[in-house]
Amino acid sequence: MHRKNDPPVTAPPTVEVTFHMEDPEPLTGKHDKLVKVMAAKGENLLDVALDHGINVEHACGGVCACSTCHVYIRSGEESLREADDDELDRVEEAPALQVNSRLSCQSVITGDGPVEVEVPAWNRNAVKEVPH
Ligand code: FES
């Protein structure tokens, strides 16, 4: 899936990404709390999640204009593109901010991984609970 003006991803899926979901059923319709997938360098974590049936909230469509795609990077942050100022400004608006908070739509895979991502239970409710 491709939502932004980034170049199309043509790399093979060589990077292991594991999604840990506190409450998986609303995100996937299943009860598996852990989903391990393969992703390509150049993909962002939001696209990787959506492409594998993990419906991470993304109110702005992945253009760094909300904060609903907020996730925690448990490990492997060195395999992700560093957050730029726009992302840092935006992620500060996210609920339950932590030092490992990232916007999944801005977290582009640049390294070999593996990457471990936590999708908090409140993710799906962010838009409805925090009116703008
Ligand atoms: S989807 Fe809006 S900032 Fe990521």
Side-chain angles (χ1 to χ4, degrees), residues 3-4 6 42-47 50 56-58 60-71 81 87 90 102-108:
R3 261 171 298 285
K4 295 193 313 179
D6 290 338
E43 288 188 289
N44 66 62
L45 294 178
L46 175 64
D47 284 348
L50 295 176
V56 171
E57 183 62 64
H58 54 286
C60 77
V63 295
C64 197
C66 63
S67 61
T68 59
C69 67
H70 175 204
V71 295
R81 186 174 68 194
E87 180 184 350
R90 190 60 70 185
R102 289 293 306 263
L103 297 180
S104 58
C105 72
Q106 302 301 304
S107 300
V108 175

